[in-house]
Amino acid sequence: MIKRLWANRSKAKASLPHTEGIPPENVPEHVAIIMDGNGRWAKRRGLPRMAGHHSGMKTVKRITIEANRLGVKYLTLYAFSTENWKRPKAEVDFLMKLPQQFLEIELEDLIANNVQVKMMGHREDLPPHTLSAVEEAISKTAGNSGLVLNFALNYGSRKEMLETVQAIAADVREGKLTPEQINDELFSQRLLSGELPDPDLLIRTSGELRLSNFMLWQLAYSELWFTDVYWPEFTEQHFHEAIEEYGRRARRYGGV
Ligand code: IPE
Ligand code: IPE
Ligand code: MG
């Protein structure tokens, strides 16, 4: 079982004095994370892959708390890609039960902590039990104004962009838009991430140095930070390391 961690917030804070050193202006507004390495973490311990996914869920909790505490406004977590359906059915079924399990335990605390749950992904292919758990969390937290916890669930950037192009093309055909009106801003707004600013910082765990079809448009000018640490063992301290490094980077956007 996942322990309730929100109750230990002050304790967690006390044990992490160095976090106080992060100036608020160095805290990214939007952090996106490719949570990778659950399977390898489990394998290293002689456990089934599912144990890794279960443990990874606890990391989701810890990092959500910490992001909220540091003043991050948006936290996007890559939970399941459009390519992850290729995995064995038992693993896919297990992964599709995780949102439900996570929210059953945590929704109350998420509400109490003013977190807004959102989802970015292709809803049509999700099992009804997965989608309804997420929809419930979205509606119950819709009035909150704190951290936006955005789950990328059945998300694929190429599919997202192609569907957006198709929808825009249909609008052009129907005379609702002219081709000249299609610009950066319009395209961004019509993506699944339309309500969110682009990520400032992308973190990927597990040592893989690739994007795996994640937010290809939105990450154009994001700062990238990679670690060999597997997601279940990713701690608040690793998160701070990433943010501290982010604070030292100069973002030039092609300028000087
Ligand atoms: C990330 O861990 C979780 C998902 C992709 C759902 P993995 O399951 O990819 O773990 P590894 O990469 O096999 O270790
Ligand atoms: C990316 O991890 C997807 C998620 C973390 C949900 P994968 O483990 O699926 O990526 P690849 O297959 O190593 O590129
Ligand atoms: Mg992986």
Side-chain angles (χ1 to χ4, degrees):
M1 283 304 275
I2 303 170
K3 286 211 197 84
R4 286 184 164 267
L5 292 175
W6 294 97
N8 293 330
R9 283 184 73 181
S10 51
K11 245 193 257 167
K13 193 174 179 174
S15 66
L16 294 163
H18 57 284
T19 65
E20 309 311 333
I22 301 176
E25 65 273 19
N26 284 358
V27 174
E29 184 184 24
H30 185 177
V31 179
I33 308 183
I34 302 176
M35 311 184 285
D36 199 12
N38 292 350
R40 279 163 287 165
W41 178 88
K43 192 176 175 199
R44 208 175 56 194
R45 279 165 178 69
L47 298 168
R49 292 179 59 84
M50 319 297 170
H53 296 313
H54 190 265
S55 184
M57 204 162 57
K58 296 184 197 175
T59 308
V60 168
K61 177 65 185 284
R62 283 192 278 105
I63 299 306
T64 301
I65 295 169
E66 196 51 18
N68 199 24
R69 195 179 77 74
L70 290 174
V72 171
K73 297 271 188 326
Y74 304 90
L75 179 65
T76 295
L77 301 177
Y78 204 7
F80 192 92
S81 76
T82 46
E83 288 69 37
N84 288 146
W85 297 105
K86 292 179 196 160
R87 296 187 179 200
K89 187 178 181 302
E91 181 168 349
V92 169
D93 288 349
F94 186 89
L95 288 167
M96 285 298 147
K97 281 184 194 134
L98 281 186
Q100 214 174 335
Q101 263 190 43
F102 176 79
L103 291 164
E104 254 166 40
I105 299 163
E106 306 300 350
L107 185 56
E108 206 182 301
D109 283 342
L110 292 171
I111 294 169
N113 282 275
N114 202 22
V115 171
Q116 304 174 65
V117 176
K118 294 204 189 290
M119 188 204 132
M120 174 177 86
H122 307 280
R123 289 166 193 250
E124 61 283 0
D125 309 318
L126 289 172
H129 64 90
T130 311
L131 189 57
S132 66
V134 175
E135 296 284 14
E136 184 193 337
I138 293 169
S139 75
K140 286 193 172 160
T141 60
N144 288 351
S145 57
L147 174 80
V148 171
L149 176 57
N150 181 37
F151 287 103
L153 192 58
N154 192 26
Y155 174 85
S157 187
R158 287 188 170 184
K159 186 172 164 89
E160 173 190 41
M161 288 197 276
L162 287 176
E163 286 183 356
T164 299
V165 169
Q166 285 168 353
I168 291 173
D171 281 359
V172 171
R173 186 181 52 206
E174 289 163 29
K176 293 182 194 158
L177 269 180
T178 65
E180 295 69 31
Q181 284 173 314
I182 305 167
N183 57 23
D184 264 38
E185 200 190 339
L186 178 127
F187 189 72
S188 291
Q189 278 171 2
R190 296 195 54 164
L191 293 171
L192 292 168
S193 60
E195 296 167 22
L196 280 68
D198 289 342
D200 300 293
L201 172 65
L202 172 81
I203 295 173
R204 182 168 189 156
T205 59
S206 91
E208 306 299 355
L209 307 179
R210 55 176 170 261
L211 295 177
S212 302
N213 201 15
F214 188 54
M215 302 188 89
L216 304 178
W217 167 272
Q218 299 91 329
L219 292 170
Y221 270 105
S222 308
E223 295 299 325
L224 312 180
W225 191 85
F226 298 97
T227 174
D228 288 341
V229 163
Y230 294 143
W231 179 247
E233 63 195 5
F234 186 79
T235 63
E236 291 87 338
Q237 199 156 331
H238 297 118
F239 192 52
H240 299 152
E241 274 172 38
I243 291 179
E244 280 161 16
E245 166 71 23
Y246 170 82
R248 289 190 290 271
R249 304 255 182 107
R251 301 182 75 184
R252 285 186 287 275
Y253 300 97
V256 286

